[in-house]
Amino acid sequence: MKQLKTVRLLQNKISFLLDVKASKKLTFISIMTLAVFFFSASFGDSFINPFTVIQTLFGYGSEFDQLIIVDFRMPRIFLAAFAGMALAVAGAILQGIIKNPLASPDIIGISAGGGAAVVGFLAMFSDSNHSLTVSIEWLPLAGFIGATIVGLIVYVFAWKDGVTPTRLVLIGIGVSAFMQAITTMLMIIGPIYQASEANKWITGSVKSADWNQVQIVVPLILVLLLITFFITRQLNVQELGDDTAASLGQSVQKARLFLIILSSSLVASAIAFAGAIGFVGLMAPHIARRIVGPSFGVLIPTSAAIGALLVMVADIIGRTAFSPLEVPAGVFTAAIGAPYFIYLLFRNPRK
């Protein structure tokens, strides 16, 4: 039997039931994620002792260690962690809306929209000398706008006296296929260097992370995660079905629109700088659900921790397994996610 504890915040304006056992599991996963966060700075072209990493982070390392750990490795670790959290929570939101564990940002076209926008940006602003006519720093903004717009397009096309989960998935799959076709066409007709650059982004990589990017993306994702945490009750009600949700006083369609915008914003924020890292939004929420159960009050933070863990581990493998070559983190999340997706299909044949 579950041990439940009532938690009240902001003078009882926000309250929820806390599963004590699930919270202990969340604490363990969070500690494990934090450990990987700090010790992943040890891995790269050269291994650095974890104790040296800790000393350096507290300002007692050599100038060389400061350069390698603080300037080169920590930005990509931050970006990997927060991108993983954003993608995982976005997947959890979509799975709650659609009421299907196979739902994810990859499947309903949000990630594909970001990819099409990035390739379109490279094609539009490339000159005859195969160089960009505008700064490459605008590339993340293109990805953000593309993912957000496609999320809204899916919602609008899925509307027919309201938006049902089934229509949302079917329209999303169609829009995703269309965006992927546009991306492929632009990569074929464009110069080779454009296809190479676009392919790195579409696969998903945190190799080019720097502190300027971290300063932009971390506060944005933190705000979105906090908003998600404080509206978990809306997600729990959505899973009860439209009729039940309406009887409980929820404006179902308004809540669904807000949740889709929130999910799209999380995905857009992540892929804007880390690229379209695949399958994290599918795997992390599903793994979290098996560990802590379906209640979104604990499912959301658990999904975030697992998402961060997946992307950080994928990045560690990418920069060490084939050294001196670096393989994008998205290759390894896809290598794990594709068979995991097949496993889910066999496990949920009627979904």
Side-chain angles (χ1 to χ4, degrees):
M1 185 175 179
K2 290 184 178 181
Q3 282 185 283
L4 299 177
K5 181 180 179 182
T6 303
V7 178
R8 302 182 187 277
L9 302 172
L10 300 178
Q11 298 179 339
N12 295 332
K13 292 181 180 178
I14 298 173
S15 64
F16 53 89
L17 291 175
L18 189 66
D19 186 331
V20 176
K21 186 177 180 180
S23 299
K24 291 179 180 178
K25 293 178 180 179
L26 169 59
T27 301
F28 174 77
I29 294 170
S30 300
I31 291 172
M32 186 166 59
T33 302
L34 282 172
V36 172
F37 179 88
F38 285 107
F39 290 117
S40 61
S42 297
F43 299 96
D45 292 336
S46 59
F47 179 80
I48 299 176
N49 189 296
F51 294 105
T52 303
V53 171
I54 295 173
Q55 288 178 336
T56 302
L57 292 177
F58 280 96
Y60 296 103
S62 66
E63 289 187 8
F64 178 77
D65 290 335
Q66 287 276 351
L67 177 67
I68 297 299
I69 296 171
V70 177
D71 294 340
F72 292 160
R73 294 183 183 177
M74 288 308 296
R76 70 186 296 168
I77 295 169
F78 265 98
L79 187 56
F82 278 86
M85 285 192 281
L87 293 170
V89 171
I93 292 172
L94 289 174
Q95 289 175 12
I97 296 171
I98 298 171
K99 296 183 282 292
N100 191 315
L102 302 181
S104 76
D106 312 307
I107 293 174
I108 72 165
I110 299 174
S111 299
V118 165
V119 177
F121 174 89
L122 293 171
M124 185 180 300
F125 295 106
S126 295
D127 59 22
S128 57
N129 295 321
H130 297 171
S131 60
L132 288 175
T133 57
V134 298
S135 173
I136 193 69
E137 293 180 359
W138 291 102
L139 187 66
L141 180 61
F144 184 94
I145 292 173
T148 304
I149 289 176
V150 168
L152 293 174
I153 288 173
V154 170
Y155 184 87
V156 171
F157 283 3
W159 181 274
K160 186 179 181 182
D161 298 325
V163 173
T164 62
T166 301
R167 285 182 60 83
L168 195 63
V169 171
L170 293 176
I171 295 296
I173 291 172
V175 172
S176 178
F178 181 69
M179 290 296 149
Q180 289 172 358
I182 291 176
T183 301
T184 302
M185 182 187 70
L186 290 172
M187 291 175 69
I188 290 173
I189 65 177
I192 293 176
Y193 89 94
Q194 174 188 304
S196 176
E197 184 67 28
N199 194 52
K200 291 178 186 177
W201 192 94
I202 292 170
T203 303
S205 174
V206 294
K207 180 180 178 180
S208 301
D210 57 44
W211 284 114
N212 289 330
Q213 294 178 352
V214 171
Q215 289 172 359
I216 295 171
V217 76
V218 168
L220 178 58
I221 290 177
L222 274 177
V223 170
L224 294 172
L225 291 176
L226 284 172
I227 293 172
T228 305
F229 180 75
F230 285 121
I231 62 164
T232 53
R233 178 178 291 179
Q234 300 292 327
L235 282 164
N236 286 324
V237 172
Q238 283 271 324
E239 281 214 320
L240 297 175
D242 291 2
D243 293 338
T244 304
S247 68
L248 292 173
Q250 184 186 79
S251 178
V252 176
Q253 296 305 325
K254 288 182 180 179
R256 191 165 287 161
L257 173 60
F258 177 76
L259 290 169
I260 290 173
I261 292 173
L262 182 58
S263 177
S264 299
S265 298
L266 283 163
V267 175
S269 301
I271 67 177
F273 293 101
I277 300 175
F279 289 100
V280 176
L282 171 70
M283 291 188 293
H286 196 272
I287 295 170
R289 191 175 288 107
R290 291 176 64 87
I291 294 173
V292 299
S295 177
F296 282 92
V298 70
L299 178 64
I300 291 295
T302 305
S303 297
I306 292 174
L309 189 62
L310 285 172
V311 179
M312 286 191 295
V313 170
D315 183 50
I316 291 172
I317 297 171
R319 53 191 157 106
T320 58
F322 301 94
S323 184
L325 295 177
E326 285 201 22
V327 180
V331 171
F332 295 100
T333 58
I336 301 170
Y340 191 78
F341 181 68
I342 295 171
Y343 159 75
L344 290 182
L345 286 173
F346 278 106
R347 186 178 177 83
N348 302 274
R350 295 183 180 179
K351 298 291 185 179

